Coordinates of all heavy atoms in Angstrom, one line a residue:
S1 N -17.4 110.5 56.4 CA -18.0 111.8 56.0 C -18.1 112.7 57.3 O -18.1 112.2 58.4 CB -19.3 111.6 55.3 OG -20.3 111.2 56.3
S2 N -18.3 113.9 57.0 CA -18.5 114.9 58.1 C -19.9 115.0 58.6 O -20.8 114.9 57.8 CB -18.0 116.3 57.6 OG -18.3 117.2 58.6
A3 N -20.1 115.1 59.9 CA -21.4 115.3 60.4 C -22.1 116.6 59.9 O -23.3 116.7 60.0 CB -21.3 115.3 62.0
Y4 N -21.3 117.5 59.5 CA -21.8 118.8 59.0 C -22.3 118.7 57.6 O -23.0 119.6 57.1 CB -20.7 119.9 59.1 CG -20.3 120.1 60.5 CD1 -19.0 119.6 60.9 CD2 -21.1 120.7 61.4 CE1 -18.6 119.8 62.2 CE2 -20.7 120.9 62.7 CZ -19.4 120.4 63.1 OH -19.0 120.6 64.4
E5 N -22.0 117.7 56.8 CA -22.4 117.6 55.5 C -23.6 116.6 55.4 O -23.4 115.4 55.2 CB -21.3 117.1 54.6 CG -20.3 118.2 54.4 CD -19.2 117.9 53.4 OE1 -19.6 117.8 52.2 OE2 -18.1 117.7 53.7
C6 N -24.8 117.1 55.6 CA -25.9 116.2 55.8 C -26.3 115.4 54.6 O -27.0 114.4 54.7 CB -27.1 117.0 56.3 SG -27.6 118.4 55.2
F7 N -25.9 115.8 53.4 CA -26.3 115.0 52.2 C -25.2 114.1 51.7 O -25.4 113.4 50.7 CB -26.7 116.0 51.1 CG -27.9 116.8 51.4 CD1 -27.9 118.2 51.1 CD2 -29.0 116.3 52.0 CE1 -29.0 118.9 51.4 CE2 -30.1 117.0 52.3 CZ -30.1 118.4 52.0
S8 N -24.1 114.0 52.4 CA -22.9 113.3 51.8 C -23.1 111.8 51.8 O -22.5 111.1 51.0 CB -21.7 113.7 52.6 OG -21.8 113.2 53.9
D9 N -23.9 111.2 52.7 CA -24.0 109.7 52.7 C -25.3 109.2 52.1 O -25.7 108.1 52.2 CB -24.0 109.2 54.2 CG -22.6 109.4 54.8 OD1 -21.6 109.3 54.0 OD2 -22.6 109.6 56.0
I10 N -26.0 110.1 51.3 CA -27.3 109.7 50.7 C -27.0 109.3 49.2 O -26.2 109.9 48.6 CB -28.2 110.9 50.8 CG1 -28.5 111.3 52.2 CG2 -29.6 110.6 50.1 CD1 -29.3 112.5 52.4
D11 N -27.8 108.3 48.8 CA -27.7 107.9 47.4 C -28.0 109.1 46.4 O -28.7 110.0 46.8 CB -28.5 106.7 47.0 CG -30.0 107.0 47.1 OD1 -30.6 107.5 46.1 OD2 -30.6 106.9 48.2
I12 N -27.4 109.1 45.2 CA -27.5 110.2 44.3 C -28.9 110.7 44.0 O -29.1 111.9 44.0 CB -26.6 110.0 43.1 CG1 -26.4 111.3 42.3 CG2 -27.2 108.9 42.2 CD1 -25.5 112.2 43.0
S13 N -29.8 109.8 43.7 CA -31.1 110.2 43.3 C -31.9 110.9 44.5 O -32.5 111.9 44.3 CB -31.9 109.1 42.7 OG -32.1 108.0 43.7
T14 N -31.7 110.3 45.7 CA -32.3 110.9 46.9 C -31.7 112.3 47.2 O -32.4 113.3 47.5 CB -32.2 110.0 48.1 OG1 -32.8 108.8 47.8 CG2 -32.9 110.6 49.3
R15 N -30.4 112.3 47.0 CA -29.6 113.6 47.2 C -30.1 114.7 46.3 O -30.4 115.8 46.7 CB -28.2 113.3 47.1 CG -27.3 114.5 47.3 CD -25.8 114.1 47.1 NE -25.0 115.2 47.6 CZ -23.7 115.1 47.7 NH1 -23.1 114.0 47.4 NH2 -23.0 116.1 48.1
E16 N -30.3 114.3 45.0 CA -30.8 115.3 44.1 C -32.1 115.8 44.4 O -32.4 117.0 44.3 CB -30.7 114.8 42.6 CG -29.3 114.6 42.1 CD -29.2 113.9 40.7 OE1 -30.3 113.5 40.2 OE2 -28.1 113.8 40.2
R17 N -33.0 114.9 44.8 CA -34.4 115.3 45.2 C -34.4 116.2 46.4 O -35.1 117.2 46.5 CB -35.3 114.1 45.5 CG -35.7 113.4 44.2 CD -36.8 112.4 44.5 NE -36.5 111.6 45.7 CZ -36.3 110.3 45.7 NH1 -36.4 109.6 44.6 NH2 -36.0 109.6 46.8
L18 N -33.5 115.9 47.4 CA -33.4 116.7 48.6 C -32.9 118.1 48.3 O -33.3 119.1 48.9 CB -32.6 116.0 49.7 CG -33.3 114.8 50.4 CD1 -32.3 114.1 51.3 CD2 -34.5 115.3 51.2
L19 N -31.9 118.1 47.5 CA -31.3 119.4 47.1 C -32.3 120.3 46.4 O -32.3 121.5 46.6 CB -30.0 119.2 46.3 CG -28.8 118.6 47.1 CD1 -27.7 118.3 46.2 CD2 -28.4 119.5 48.3
K20 N -33.0 119.7 45.5 CA -34.1 120.4 44.8 C -35.1 120.9 45.8 O -35.6 122.1 45.7 CB -34.8 119.6 43.7 CG -35.8 120.3 42.9 CD -36.4 119.5 41.9 CE -37.4 120.3 41.0 NZ -38.1 121.4 41.6
L21 N -35.5 120.1 46.8 CA -36.4 120.5 47.8 C -35.9 121.7 48.6 O -36.6 122.7 48.8 CB -36.7 119.4 48.7 CG -37.7 119.7 49.9 CD1 -39.1 120.1 49.4 CD2 -37.8 118.5 50.8
V22 N -34.6 121.7 49.0 CA -34.0 122.8 49.7 C -34.1 124.1 48.8 O -34.5 125.1 49.3 CB -32.6 122.5 50.1 CG1 -31.8 123.7 50.6 CG2 -32.6 121.4 51.2
L23 N -33.7 124.0 47.6 CA -33.8 125.1 46.7 C -35.2 125.6 46.5 O -35.4 126.9 46.6 CB -33.2 124.7 45.3 CG -33.0 125.8 44.3 CD1 -32.2 127.0 44.8 CD2 -32.5 125.3 43.0
D24 N -36.2 124.7 46.4 CA -37.6 125.2 46.2 C -38.0 125.9 47.5 O -38.7 126.9 47.4 CB -38.5 124.0 46.0 CG -38.3 123.4 44.6 OD1 -37.7 124.1 43.7 OD2 -38.8 122.3 44.4
L25 N -37.7 125.4 48.7 CA -38.1 126.0 49.9 C -37.4 127.4 50.1 O -38.1 128.3 50.5 CB -37.7 125.1 51.1 CG -38.6 123.9 51.4 CD1 -38.0 123.0 52.4 CD2 -40.0 124.3 51.7
W26 N -36.2 127.4 49.7 CA -35.4 128.7 49.8 C -36.1 129.8 48.9 O -36.4 130.9 49.3 CB -34.0 128.5 49.4 CG -33.3 129.8 49.1 CD1 -32.8 130.7 50.1 CD2 -33.0 130.4 47.9 NE1 -32.2 131.8 49.5 CE2 -32.3 131.6 48.2 CE3 -33.2 130.0 46.6 CZ2 -31.9 132.5 47.2 CZ3 -32.7 130.9 45.6 CH2 -32.1 132.1 45.9
Q27 N -36.5 129.4 47.7 CA -37.1 130.3 46.8 C -38.5 130.7 47.2 O -38.9 131.9 47.1 CB -37.2 129.7 45.4 CG -35.8 129.7 44.7 CD -35.8 129.0 43.3 OE1 -36.5 128.0 43.1 NE2 -35.0 129.6 42.4
K28 N -39.3 129.8 47.8 CA -40.6 130.1 48.2 C -40.7 130.9 49.5 O -41.5 131.7 49.7 CB -41.4 128.8 48.4 CG -41.8 128.1 47.0 CD -42.5 126.8 47.2 CE -42.7 126.2 45.9 NZ -43.2 124.8 46.0
L29 N -39.8 130.5 50.4 CA -39.9 131.1 51.8 C -38.9 132.3 52.0 O -39.0 133.0 53.0 CB -39.7 130.0 52.8 CG -40.7 128.9 52.8 CD1 -40.3 127.8 53.8 CD2 -42.1 129.4 53.0
G30 N -37.9 132.4 51.1 CA -36.9 133.5 51.3 C -36.0 133.3 52.5 O -35.6 134.2 53.1
L31 N -35.7 132.0 52.8 CA -34.9 131.7 53.9 C -33.4 132.0 53.6 O -33.0 132.0 52.5 CB -35.0 130.2 54.3 CG -36.4 129.7 54.6 CD1 -36.4 128.2 54.7 CD2 -36.9 130.3 55.9
T32 N -32.7 132.2 54.7 CA -31.2 132.2 54.6 C -30.7 130.8 55.0 O -31.1 130.3 56.0 CB -30.6 133.3 55.5 OG1 -31.1 134.6 55.1 CG2 -29.1 133.2 55.5
I33 N -30.0 130.2 54.1 CA -29.5 128.8 54.3 C -28.0 128.8 54.2 O -27.5 129.3 53.2 CB -30.2 127.9 53.3 CG1 -31.7 127.8 53.4 CG2 -29.6 126.5 53.4 CD1 -32.4 127.0 52.4
V34 N -27.4 128.2 55.1 CA -25.9 128.0 55.1 C -25.8 126.5 54.8 O -26.2 125.6 55.6 CB -25.2 128.4 56.4 CG1 -23.7 128.0 56.3 CG2 -25.4 129.8 56.6
H35 N -25.2 126.1 53.7 CA -25.0 124.7 53.2 C -23.5 124.4 53.2 O -22.8 125.1 52.4 CB -25.7 124.5 51.9 CG -25.6 123.1 51.4 ND1 -26.4 122.1 51.9 CD2 -24.9 122.6 50.4 CE1 -26.1 121.0 51.2 NE2 -25.2 121.3 50.3
V36 N -23.1 123.5 54.0 CA -21.6 123.2 54.0 C -21.4 122.0 53.1 O -22.1 121.0 53.3 CB -21.2 122.9 55.4 CG1 -19.7 122.5 55.5 CG2 -21.4 124.1 56.3
T37 N -20.5 122.1 52.2 CA -20.2 121.0 51.3 C -18.8 121.1 50.8 O -18.2 122.2 50.7 CB -21.2 120.9 50.1 OG1 -21.0 119.8 49.3 CG2 -21.1 122.2 49.2
H38 N -18.2 119.9 50.3 CA -17.0 119.9 49.6 C -17.2 119.7 48.1 O -16.2 119.7 47.4 CB -16.1 118.8 50.2 CG -15.5 119.0 51.5 ND1 -16.2 118.6 52.7 CD2 -14.4 119.6 51.9 CE1 -15.5 119.0 53.7 NE2 -14.4 119.6 53.3
D39 N -18.4 119.6 47.7 CA -18.8 119.4 46.3 C -19.0 120.7 45.6 O -20.0 121.4 45.8 CB -20.1 118.5 46.3 CG -20.5 118.1 44.9 OD1 -20.3 118.8 43.9 OD2 -21.0 117.0 44.8
I40 N -18.1 121.1 44.8 CA -18.1 122.4 44.1 C -19.3 122.5 43.2 O -20.0 123.5 43.2 CB -16.8 122.6 43.3 CG1 -15.6 122.7 44.2 CG2 -16.9 123.9 42.5 CD1 -14.3 122.7 43.5
E41 N -19.6 121.4 42.5 CA -20.8 121.5 41.6 C -22.1 121.7 42.3 O -22.9 122.4 41.9 CB -20.8 120.2 40.7 CG -19.7 120.2 39.7 CD -19.8 119.0 38.7 OE1 -20.7 118.1 38.9 OE2 -18.9 118.9 37.9
E42 N -22.2 121.0 43.4 CA -23.4 121.2 44.3 C -23.5 122.6 44.7 O -24.6 123.2 44.7 CB -23.3 120.2 45.5 CG -24.4 120.3 46.4 CD -24.2 119.3 47.6 OE1 -24.4 118.1 47.3 OE2 -24.0 119.7 48.7
A43 N -22.4 123.2 45.2 CA -22.4 124.6 45.6 C -22.8 125.5 44.5 O -23.6 126.4 44.7 CB -21.0 124.9 46.2
L44 N -22.3 125.2 43.3 CA -22.6 126.1 42.1 C -24.0 126.0 41.7 O -24.6 127.0 41.3 CB -21.7 125.7 40.9 CG -20.2 126.1 41.1 CD1 -19.4 125.4 40.0 CD2 -20.0 127.6 41.0
L45 N -24.6 124.9 41.9 CA -26.0 124.7 41.5 C -27.0 125.3 42.5 O -28.1 125.8 42.1 CB -26.4 123.2 41.3 CG -25.7 122.5 40.1 CD1 -26.0 121.0 40.1 CD2 -26.2 123.1 38.8
L46 N -26.6 125.4 43.7 CA -27.5 125.9 44.8 C -27.2 127.3 45.2 O -28.2 128.0 45.7 CB -27.4 125.0 46.0 CG -27.8 123.6 45.9 CD1 -27.6 122.8 47.2 CD2 -29.3 123.5 45.6
S47 N -26.0 127.8 45.2 CA -25.6 129.0 45.9 C -25.7 130.3 45.2 O -25.5 130.4 44.0 CB -24.2 128.8 46.4 OG -24.0 127.6 47.1
R48 N -26.0 131.3 46.0 CA -25.8 132.7 45.5 C -24.5 133.2 45.9 O -24.0 134.2 45.3 CB -26.9 133.6 46.0 CG -28.3 133.1 45.5 CD -29.4 134.0 46.1 NE -29.4 135.2 45.4 CZ -30.2 136.2 45.7 NH1 -31.0 136.1 46.7 NH2 -30.1 137.4 45.0
R49 N -23.9 132.6 46.9 CA -22.6 133.0 47.3 C -21.8 131.8 47.8 O -22.4 131.0 48.6 CB -22.7 134.0 48.5 CG -21.3 134.5 49.0 CD -21.5 135.5 50.1 NE -22.2 136.7 49.6 CZ -23.2 137.2 50.2 NH1 -23.7 136.8 51.4 NH2 -23.8 138.3 49.7
I50 N -20.6 131.6 47.4 CA -19.8 130.5 47.9 C -18.6 131.1 48.6 O -17.9 132.0 48.2 CB -19.2 129.6 46.7 CG1 -20.4 128.9 46.0 CG2 -18.2 128.6 47.2 CD1 -20.0 128.2 44.7
V51 N -18.4 130.6 49.9 CA -17.3 131.0 50.7 C -16.3 129.9 50.8 O -16.6 128.9 51.3 CB -17.8 131.4 52.1 CG1 -16.7 131.8 53.0 CG2 -18.9 132.5 52.0
L52 N -15.2 130.2 50.2 CA -14.1 129.2 50.2 C -13.3 129.4 51.5 O -12.7 130.4 51.8 CB -13.2 129.4 49.0 CG -12.0 128.4 48.8 CD1 -12.5 127.0 48.7 CD2 -11.2 128.8 47.6
M53 N -13.2 128.3 52.3 CA -12.6 128.4 53.6 C -11.2 127.8 53.5 O -10.9 126.9 52.7 CB -13.4 127.6 54.6 CG -14.8 128.0 54.8 SD -14.9 129.7 55.5 CE -14.3 129.4 57.1
G54 N -10.3 128.3 54.3 CA -8.9 127.8 54.4 C -8.8 126.7 55.4 O -9.8 126.3 56.0
S55 N -7.6 126.3 55.7 CA -7.4 125.2 56.6 C -7.6 125.7 58.0 O -7.7 126.9 58.3 CB -6.1 124.5 56.4 OG -5.1 125.5 56.6
R56 N -7.5 124.8 59.0 CA -7.8 125.1 60.4 C -6.7 126.0 60.9 O -5.5 125.9 60.6 CB -7.8 123.8 61.2 CG -9.0 123.0 60.9 CD -9.1 121.8 61.8 NE -10.3 121.1 61.4 CZ -10.4 119.8 61.3 NH1 -9.4 119.1 61.6 NH2 -11.5 119.2 61.0
P57 N -6.9 127.0 61.8 CA -8.3 127.3 62.1 C -9.0 128.0 60.9 O -8.3 128.6 60.1 CB -8.2 128.3 63.2 CG -6.8 129.0 63.0 CD -6.0 127.9 62.4
G58 N -10.3 127.7 60.7 CA -11.0 128.1 59.5 C -10.9 129.6 59.3 O -11.0 130.4 60.2
R59 N -10.6 129.9 58.1 CA -10.5 131.3 57.7 C -11.1 131.4 56.3 O -11.1 130.5 55.5 CB -9.1 131.9 57.7 CG -8.1 131.1 56.8 CD -6.7 131.7 56.9 NE -5.8 130.9 56.1 CZ -5.6 131.0 54.8 NH1 -6.3 131.9 54.1 NH2 -4.8 130.2 54.1
I60 N -11.6 132.6 55.9 CA -12.2 132.8 54.6 C -11.0 133.1 53.7 O -10.3 134.1 53.9 CB -13.2 133.9 54.6 CG1 -14.4 133.5 55.5 CG2 -13.7 134.3 53.2 CD1 -15.4 134.6 55.7
K61 N -10.9 132.3 52.6 CA -9.9 132.6 51.6 C -10.5 133.4 50.5 O -9.8 134.3 50.0 CB -9.5 131.2 51.0 CG -8.6 130.4 51.9 CD -8.3 129.0 51.3 CE -7.3 129.1 50.2 NZ -6.8 127.8 49.7
H62 N -11.7 133.2 50.1 CA -12.3 134.0 49.0 C -13.8 133.8 49.0 O -14.3 132.8 49.4 CB -11.8 133.5 47.6 CG -12.1 134.4 46.5 ND1 -11.4 135.6 46.3 CD2 -13.0 134.4 45.6 CE1 -11.9 136.2 45.3 NE2 -12.9 135.5 44.8
I63 N -14.5 134.8 48.6 CA -16.0 134.8 48.4 C -16.3 135.0 47.0 O -15.9 135.9 46.3 CB -16.7 135.9 49.3 CG1 -16.4 135.6 50.8 CG2 -18.2 135.9 49.0 CD1 -16.9 136.7 51.7
F64 N -17.1 134.0 46.4 CA -17.6 134.1 45.1 C -19.1 134.4 45.1 O -19.9 133.6 45.6 CB -17.4 132.7 44.4 CG -15.9 132.3 44.3 CD1 -15.4 131.6 45.3 CD2 -15.2 132.6 43.2 CE1 -14.0 131.2 45.2 CE2 -13.8 132.2 43.1 CZ -13.3 131.5 44.1
N65 N -19.5 135.5 44.5 CA -20.9 135.8 44.3 C -21.4 135.3 43.0 O -20.7 135.5 42.0 CB -21.1 137.3 44.4 CG -20.8 137.9 45.8 OD1 -21.4 137.4 46.7 ND2 -19.9 138.8 45.9
I66 N -22.5 134.6 43.0 CA -23.0 134.0 41.8 C -24.4 134.6 41.4 O -25.3 134.4 42.1 CB -23.2 132.5 42.0 CG1 -21.8 131.9 42.5 CG2 -23.7 131.8 40.7 CD1 -21.9 130.4 42.9
D67 N -24.4 135.3 40.3 CA -25.6 136.0 39.9 C -26.1 135.3 38.6 O -26.0 135.9 37.5 CB -25.3 137.5 39.7 CG -26.6 138.3 39.4 OD1 -27.7 137.8 39.8 OD2 -26.5 139.3 38.7
I68 N -26.5 134.1 38.7 CA -27.0 133.3 37.6 C -28.3 132.8 38.0 O -28.5 132.3 39.1 CB -26.0 132.1 37.3 CG1 -24.6 132.7 36.9 CG2 -26.6 131.2 36.2 CD1 -23.5 131.6 36.7
E69 N -29.3 132.9 37.1 CA -30.7 132.5 37.4 C -30.8 131.0 37.6 O -30.0 130.2 37.2 CB -31.6 132.9 36.2 CG -31.3 132.2 34.9 CD -30.1 132.7 34.1 OE1 -29.5 133.8 34.4 OE2 -29.6 132.0 33.2
Y70 N -31.9 130.7 38.3 CA -32.3 129.3 38.6 C -33.4 128.9 37.6 O -34.2 129.7 37.2 CB -32.8 129.2 40.0 CG -31.7 129.4 41.1 CD1 -31.6 130.7 41.7 CD2 -30.9 128.4 41.5 CE1 -30.7 131.0 42.6 CE2 -29.9 128.7 42.5 CZ -29.8 129.9 43.0 OH -28.9 130.2 44.0
P71 N -33.5 127.6 37.3 CA -32.6 126.5 37.7 C -31.3 126.6 36.8 O -31.3 127.2 35.8 CB -33.4 125.3 37.3 CG -34.3 125.7 36.2 CD -34.7 127.2 36.5
R72 N -30.3 126.1 37.4 CA -29.0 126.1 36.8 C -28.6 124.7 36.3 O -29.0 123.7 36.8 CB -27.9 126.5 37.8 CG -28.1 127.9 38.3 CD -27.1 128.3 39.3 NE -27.4 129.6 39.9 CZ -26.8 130.1 41.0 NH1 -26.0 129.3 41.7 NH2 -27.1 131.3 41.4
S73 N -27.7 124.7 35.3 CA -27.2 123.5 34.7 C -25.6 123.5 34.9 O -25.0 124.6 34.6 CB -27.5 123.3 33.3 OG -26.8 122.3 32.7
I74 N -25.1 122.4 35.3 CA -23.6 122.4 35.5 C -22.9 122.5 34.2 O -21.7 122.8 34.2 CB -23.2 121.1 36.3 CG1 -21.8 121.3 37.0 CG2 -23.2 119.9 35.4 CD1 -21.8 122.5 37.9
D75 N -23.6 122.4 33.1 CA -23.0 122.6 31.7 C -23.0 124.0 31.3 O -22.4 124.3 30.2 CB -23.8 121.7 30.7 CG -23.7 120.2 31.0 OD1 -22.7 119.8 31.5 OD2 -24.7 119.5 30.8
D76 N -23.5 124.9 32.1 CA -23.5 126.3 31.8 C -22.1 126.8 31.7 O -21.4 126.6 32.7 CB -24.3 127.1 32.8 CG -24.5 128.6 32.6 OD1 -23.5 129.2 32.1 OD2 -25.6 129.1 32.8
P77 N -21.7 127.5 30.6 CA -20.3 127.9 30.5 C -19.9 128.9 31.7 O -18.7 128.9 32.1 CB -20.2 128.7 29.2 CG -21.4 128.1 28.4 CD -22.4 127.7 29.4
R78 N -20.8 129.6 32.2 CA -20.5 130.5 33.3 C -20.1 129.7 34.6 O -19.2 130.1 35.3 CB -21.6 131.5 33.6 CG -22.0 132.4 32.4 CD -23.3 133.1 32.6 NE -24.4 132.2 32.6 CZ -25.7 132.5 32.8 NH1 -26.0 133.7 33.1 NH2 -26.6 131.6 32.8
L79 N -20.9 128.6 34.8 CA -20.6 127.8 36.0 C -19.3 127.0 35.8 O -18.5 126.8 36.7 CB -21.7 126.8 36.2 CG -23.0 127.5 36.7 CD1 -24.1 126.4 37.0 CD2 -22.8 128.3 38.0
I80 N -19.0 126.6 34.5 CA -17.7 125.9 34.2 C -16.6 126.9 34.5 O -15.6 126.4 35.2 CB -17.7 125.4 32.8 CG1 -18.7 124.3 32.6 CG2 -16.3 125.0 32.4 CD1 -19.0 123.9 31.2
T81 N -16.7 128.1 34.1 CA -15.6 129.1 34.4 C -15.5 129.3 35.9 O -14.4 129.4 36.4 CB -16.0 130.4 33.7 OG1 -16.0 130.2 32.3 CG2 -14.9 131.5 34.0
L82 N -16.6 129.4 36.6 CA -16.5 129.6 38.1 C -15.9 128.4 38.8 O -15.1 128.6 39.7 CB -17.9 129.9 38.7 CG -18.4 131.3 38.7 CD1 -19.9 131.3 39.0 CD2 -17.6 132.1 39.7
K83 N -16.2 127.2 38.3 CA -15.6 126.0 38.9 C -14.1 126.0 38.7 O -13.4 125.7 39.7 CB -16.2 124.8 38.2 CG -15.7 123.5 38.8 CD -16.3 122.3 38.2 CE -15.8 121.0 38.8 NZ -16.4 119.8 38.2
K84 N -13.6 126.5 37.6 CA -12.2 126.6 37.4 C -11.6 127.6 38.3 O -10.5 127.3 38.9 CB -11.9 126.9 35.9 CG -12.1 125.8 34.9 CD -11.9 126.3 33.5 CE -12.2 125.2 32.5 NZ -12.1 125.6 31.1
E85 N -12.2 128.7 38.5 CA -11.7 129.8 39.4 C -11.7 129.3 40.8 O -10.7 129.5 41.5 CB -12.6 131.0 39.3 CG -12.5 131.8 38.0 CD -13.4 133.0 38.0 OE1 -13.7 133.6 39.1 OE2 -13.9 133.3 36.9
I86 N -12.7 128.6 41.2 CA -12.7 128.1 42.6 C -11.6 127.0 42.8 O -10.9 127.0 43.8 CB -14.1 127.5 42.9 CG1 -15.2 128.6 43.0 CG2 -14.1 126.7 44.3 CD1 -16.6 128.1 43.0
T87 N -11.5 126.1 41.9 CA -10.5 125.1 41.9 C -9.1 125.7 42.0 O -8.2 125.2 42.8 CB -10.6 124.1 40.7 OG1 -11.9 123.6 40.7 CG2 -9.6 123.0 40.8
E88 N -8.8 126.7 41.2 CA -7.5 127.4 41.2 C -7.2 128.0 42.6 O -6.1 128.1 43.0 CB -7.5 128.4 40.1 CG -7.4 127.8 38.7 CD -7.6 128.9 37.6 OE1 -7.7 130.1 37.9 OE2 -7.5 128.4 36.4
R89 N -8.3 128.5 43.3 CA -8.1 129.2 44.6 C -7.7 128.2 45.7 O -7.3 128.6 46.7 CB -9.3 130.0 45.0 CG -9.7 131.1 44.1 CD -8.9 132.3 44.5 NE -9.2 133.4 43.6 CZ -9.1 134.7 44.0 NH1 -8.7 135.0 45.2 NH2 -9.4 135.6 43.2
F90 N -8.0 126.9 45.5 CA -7.7 125.9 46.5 C -6.2 125.9 46.8 O -5.8 125.7 47.9 CB -8.1 124.5 46.0 CG -9.5 124.1 46.4 CD1 -10.4 123.9 45.3 CD2 -10.0 124.1 47.7 CE1 -11.7 123.5 45.6 CE2 -11.3 123.7 47.9 CZ -12.2 123.5 46.9
D91 N -5.4 126.1 45.8 CA -4.0 126.0 46.0 C -3.3 127.3 46.5 O -2.1 127.3 46.7 CB -3.3 125.6 44.6 CG -3.8 124.2 44.2 OD1 -4.0 123.4 45.1 OD2 -3.9 124.0 43.0
E92 N -4.0 128.3 46.7 CA -3.4 129.6 47.1 C -3.2 129.6 48.6 O -3.8 128.9 49.4 CB -4.4 130.8 46.8 CG -4.5 131.0 45.3 CD -5.4 132.2 45.0 OE1 -6.1 132.7 45.9 OE2 -5.4 132.6 43.9

């Protein structure tokens, strides 16, 4: 795993609690948080903006703005549609 992905080596239940804590802190404190992940669903559940990066050297391929209220569910049809769009952009 990458040193930049701080939640990648944590068991799933602890990871979910930590991600909820980050989201709660963000909402309460109004912080700007940059969260690096390869997990599209995690990004969809947490983010207001997803920046899809290209291969090295890093370049921005696309920016997805997400205007969906919190808390979110990965079963939300809007998130399912966004996941498909993000996945399709990987091959561009």
Side-chain angles (χ1 to χ4, degrees):
S1 73
S2 170
Y4 299 107
E5 292 188 65
C6 57
F7 298 136
S8 64
D9 291 330
I10 300 173
D11 67 87
I12 191 72
S13 62
T14 303
R15 183 179 188 172
E16 288 175 358
R17 285 193 314 244
L18 287 172
L19 292 173
K20 183 180 181 332
L21 177 62
V22 168
L23 185 58
D24 289 345
L25 286 171
W26 168 75
Q27 289 177 320
K28 288 178 185 171
L29 301 176
L31 302 171
T32 297
I33 298 173
V34 176
H35 181 75
V36 177
T37 184
H38 288 91
D39 187 325
I40 297 172
E41 291 182 359
E42 181 178 289
L44 288 167
L45 291 173
L46 293 176
S47 305
R48 295 180 76 185
R49 181 177 300 131
I50 294 175
V51 178
L52 182 61
M53 302 295 292
S55 60
R56 292 185 181 140
R59 61 182 174 82
I60 295 174
K61 289 176 71 171
H62 192 78
I63 298 175
F64 299 87
N65 291 306
I66 305 172
D67 188 24
I68 298 174
E69 65 284 345
Y70 294 95
R72 297 177 183 165
S73 168
I74 203 59
D75 299 324
D76 184 317
R78 298 170 293 177
L79 291 183
I80 292 170
T81 299
L82 273 170
K83 183 178 178 180
K84 288 178 186 174
E85 288 178 31
I86 293 168
T87 302
E88 288 170 1
R89 294 275 182 155
F90 274 117
D91 296 328
E92 291 181 351

